[in-house]
Amino acid sequence: MSSVYITTPLFYVNAEPHLGSTYTMVITDTLARYYRAQGAETFYLTGTDEHGDKIAQVAAEAKLAEKEFTDQVSAAFRRIWDDCGITYDHFIRTTDAHHVQFVQEILHRVYNAGDIYFGKYGGLYCVGCERFYTEKELRDGKCPDHLTVPKLIEEENYFFRMGKYQDRLRAHIESHADFIRPEGYRNEVLAMLREPIGDLCISRPKSRLTWGIGIPFDERYVTYVWFDALLNYVSALKSRGEATFEKFWPEAEHFIGKDIVKPHGVFWPTMLMAAGLPLYKHLNVHGFWTVEGQKMSKSLGNTVAPLEVKAQIGMDAFRYFLLRESVFGQDPDFRQESLVSRYNTDLANNLGNFVSRALAMQQKYFAGIVQPLDADWPAEDRELRDKFLQTEKDIDGFMHDLQFHRALESVMAALDHANRYIVQMAPFTMIKDPTKQARVGAVLHQLLEVVRTLARLLAPFLPDTVGELRGLLALEPAALTKPWGEGFAPGHKINPPKNLFPRIDTDAKK
Ligand code: MSP
């Protein structure tokens, strides 16, 4: 793969970042870092969704003009993602002038092609979802996501001939098994396509809503927020020039939560067809986090703020938890107890301890000076190396399949192997025998190779820790990619150990 385009949903600016949005950002950031390290040209996009009823309402509640309000919240999103170390390449706002212009250009194009018409419509509208619902989609007459009764709205509007593309979309999904993944969400979309999808209402009269992108061929209307927002995935690339669009669009990997499968799996591909643009490559759908077993909501007061968790446990440990504790596509649960136990078990006891041990012995026995490897490469040394080389290959497969938890699990399994190697070699006993000094030096050199390789394997997951590991090993970034056995010249001096992940004392809290 030479290029990859990773996108997140554009977050509504009616709430600040929380656990759910942070999870989307952490998985996409991890992938972006992974692909960059693989040498792929990567474009990673995020941003904010700023138009529509919902935003107009919260701006009014905050007693601010819409633009002023969205400027503030969008800046807060950006600041928080920056504080979390998220390495997006472009931050788009749907209020950006180039985006507005692009949406209008597409509306013109689709209108001129005859796929937008004017008509009368009555329907049940959920402001929370910003979309119309059919009776069938409601649960006890209520929106299944917001549990509110939708408003009956009847008005004249513009419609996109979405239904015209239904068969083409179904054929595409049927012939591209991983177009929408995991499979459960693909089936969900195929089920939607078994019923007539109808046409999509894509305008709102200004008498009801002014906060939106003007319909270029009728000044009495603004554009429906989803028709506006979905186009960001193309407008952002185009804002960087046609060549950027050509390079990245065919490689588009969209990441979304399961609540917005319909707009991304049905509206968006049919819009692309009507606009004469190629379809995205994959729609990757993740599950919804609950908090201590409960749905996360402002009213329950159980929202989790990313910077608070970062302050409590560190960003890398938070990333580790999110990636290790969840299975992509399923609904994971956030528990304080599991956060701390993951930290203690995997990061403090396993990773942190291993690094301290290896570096402490190097310091104590050889004053930090790296000794030569064993010229004979005994079986144990080869097995240790092979275990890590195999783990690296496995990680490639896991990342490709979005199995982040298995990638991290395999790193921990390799570390277990390295811990057994220490026990088996027992350098702390061998050192007492003056004839075995050279072997101890070689064993410790192997352990440093483990630490160096860990730094490479963990880089996409734990970026801050990797910087620290590199500092402890006194290596330049390029040294991390050298083959096993070539990372350190004998005579190279490493630094004394540091406690990377101090254990959290759970008893003390009781
Ligand atoms: N603005 C639309 C998306 C437009 S994309 C062109 C939107 N925004 S949102 O802010 O309401 O939510 C966006 C995403 O937040 C969800 O799809 C999901 O990625 C994430 N999550 C929100 N709550 C979540 C959880 N509790 N758990 C996991 N992710 C969740 O929809």
Side-chain angles (χ1 to χ4, degrees), residues 9-12 18 20-21 24 49 226 229-230 232-233 256-257 259-260 264 286-289 296:
L10 296 195
F11 300 103
Y12 282 130
H18 52 62
S21 36
T24 315
D49 189 352
W226 273 105
L230 287 163
N232 92 87
Y233 300 130
I256 60 161
D259 54 330
I260 49 178
H264 284 82
H286 67 71
F288 252 50
W289 282 83
M296 192 172 43

Side-chain angles (χ1 to χ4, degrees), residues 8-15 18-25 47-50 54-55 77 94 128-129 146 225-226 228-233 255-261 263-264 286-291 294-297 331-332:
T8 75
L10 296 195
F11 300 103
Y12 282 130
V13 288
N14 63 342
H18 52 62
L19 180 64
S21 36
T22 308
Y23 174 67
T24 315
M25 295 310 280
T48 42
D49 189 352
E50 306 185 10
K54 195 151 64 176
I55 308 305
F77 264 89
T94 53
C129 296
H146 294 90
V225 66
W226 273 105
D228 152 2
L230 287 163
L231 284 164
N232 92 87
Y233 300 130
F255 283 81
I256 60 161
K258 67 176 184 180
D259 54 330
I260 49 178
V261 167
H264 284 82
H286 67 71
F288 252 50
W289 282 83
T290 49
V291 175
Q294 281 189 301
K295 191 176 165 169
M296 192 172 43
S297 82
D331 293 339

Side-chain angles (χ1 to χ4, degrees), residues 192-491:
M192 289 173 197
L193 295 175
R194 250 171 251 131
E195 307 279 326
I197 54 173
D199 291 342
L200 182 66
C201 177
I202 56 153
S203 65
R204 299 292 179 262
K206 281 190 183 159
S207 55
R208 183 156 72 79
L209 173 76
T210 52
W211 182 236
I213 298 181
I215 293 274
F217 38 83
D218 191 334
E219 61 182 18
R220 297 169 303 160
Y221 289 88
V222 294
T223 311
Y224 170 44
V225 66
W226 273 105
F227 196 94
D228 152 2
L230 287 163
L231 284 164
N232 92 87
Y233 300 130
V234 172
S235 76
L237 290 179
K238 293 238 176 192
S239 76
R240 296 291 192 98
E242 211 46 37
T244 305
F245 169 73
E246 296 288 335
K247 181 187 296 170
F248 290 106
W249 180 243
E251 303 302 332
E253 297 283 345
H254 292 320
F255 283 81
I256 60 161
K258 67 176 184 180
D259 54 330
I260 49 178
V261 167
K262 187 169 183 182
H264 284 82
V266 179
F267 303 175
W268 181 222
T270 51
M271 283 167 63
L272 286 165
M273 286 172 183
L277 292 165
L279 299 189
Y280 52 79
K281 192 168 180 183
H282 292 130
L283 179 63
N284 306 291
V285 186
H286 67 71
F288 252 50
W289 282 83
T290 49
V291 175
E292 311 282 343
Q294 281 189 301
K295 191 176 165 169
M296 192 172 43
S297 82
K298 263 193 196 163
S299 48
L300 281 177
N302 65 349
T303 49
V304 174
L307 294 182
E308 280 172 25
V309 185
K310 178 184 168 188
Q312 181 202 346
I313 204 159
M315 195 60 209
D316 272 13
F318 186 23
R319 287 171 75 103
Y320 185 84
F321 174 81
L322 293 175
L323 295 162
R324 177 64 189 83
E325 196 74 10
S326 60
V327 175
F328 188 84
Q330 295 181 15
D331 293 339
D333 188 31
F334 181 91
R335 286 182 187 271
Q336 265 301 322
E337 206 186 312
S338 353
L339 178 69
V340 172
S341 102
R342 275 277 172 223
Y343 174 95
N344 277 342
T345 313
D346 292 359
L347 299 179
N349 293 358
N350 208 358
L351 177 62
N353 252 350
F354 179 87
V355 174
S356 301
R357 250 176 127 183
L359 269 58
M361 287 192 280
Q362 191 65 49
Q363 205 59 38
K364 189 165 164 203
Y365 305 152
F366 300 103
I369 309 288
V370 181
Q371 305 299 300
L373 285 168
D374 205 316
D376 294 341
W377 277 86
E380 294 85 355
D381 294 14
R382 270 182 280 127
E383 279 165 22
L384 181 69
R385 175 196 61 194
D386 294 348
K387 177 73 185 172
F388 275 86
L389 297 188
Q390 184 57 45
T391 302
E392 187 153 24
K393 282 200 195 116
D394 294 345
I395 290 177
D396 288 338
F398 293 141
M399 294 307 267
H400 191 259
D401 295 339
L402 309 176
Q403 304 268 304
F404 307 104
H405 68 298
R406 296 200 60 192
L408 288 171
E409 207 172 43
S410 70
V411 174
M412 288 299 142
L415 251 176
D416 289 340
H417 184 112
N419 273 316
R420 284 196 298 276
Y421 174 84
I422 300 187
V423 174
Q424 206 184 351
M425 295 296 109
F428 33 83
T429 313
M430 257 199 293
I431 195 71
K432 294 177 190 145
D433 179 345
T435 65
K436 291 189 176 152
Q437 300 277 320
R439 180 63 186 139
V440 174
V443 165
L444 296 193
H445 192 149
Q446 293 289 354
L447 297 184
L448 295 180
E449 281 298 63
V450 169
V451 177
R452 187 178 66 90
T453 306
L454 282 172
R456 181 170 73 244
L457 303 189
L458 289 172
F461 306 93
L462 309 178
D464 296 342
T465 306
V466 165
E468 298 225 48
L469 290 178
R470 224 169 33 72
L472 290 172
L473 297 176
L475 291 176
E476 293 299 317
L480 294 188
T481 55
K482 289 189 183 163
W484 189 286
E486 295 175 25
F488 303 90

Side-chain angles (χ1 to χ4, degrees), residues 17-64:
H18 52 62
L19 180 64
S21 36
T22 308
Y23 174 67
T24 315
M25 295 310 280
V26 166
I27 52 178
T28 46
D29 180 67
T30 302
L31 270 182
R33 288 175 187 267
Y34 170 78
Y35 282 118
R36 282 184 205 120
Q38 297 284 305
E41 257 193 284
T42 306
F43 196 96
Y44 173 23
L45 174 72
T46 192
T48 42
D49 189 352
E50 306 185 10
H51 292 125
D53 275 330
K54 195 151 64 176
I55 308 305
Q57 271 180 23
V58 278
E61 280 160 26
K63 300 200 169 31
L64 288 175

Side-chain angles (χ1 to χ4, degrees), residues 10 45-51 67 70-71 74-75 78 90-104 211-213 228-229 231-232 235-237 239-240:
L10 296 195
L45 174 72
T46 192
T48 42
D49 189 352
E50 306 185 10
H51 292 125
K67 185 64 170 68
T70 58
D71 279 353
S74 179
R78 214 176 160 141
H90 189 102
F91 190 99
I92 188 171
R93 301 180 56 186
T94 53
T95 47
D96 287 342
H98 71 84
H99 173 77
V100 172
Q101 207 183 342
F102 183 72
V103 171
Q104 293 186 327
W211 182 236
I213 298 181
D228 152 2
L231 284 164
N232 92 87
S235 76
L237 290 179
S239 76
R240 296 291 192 98

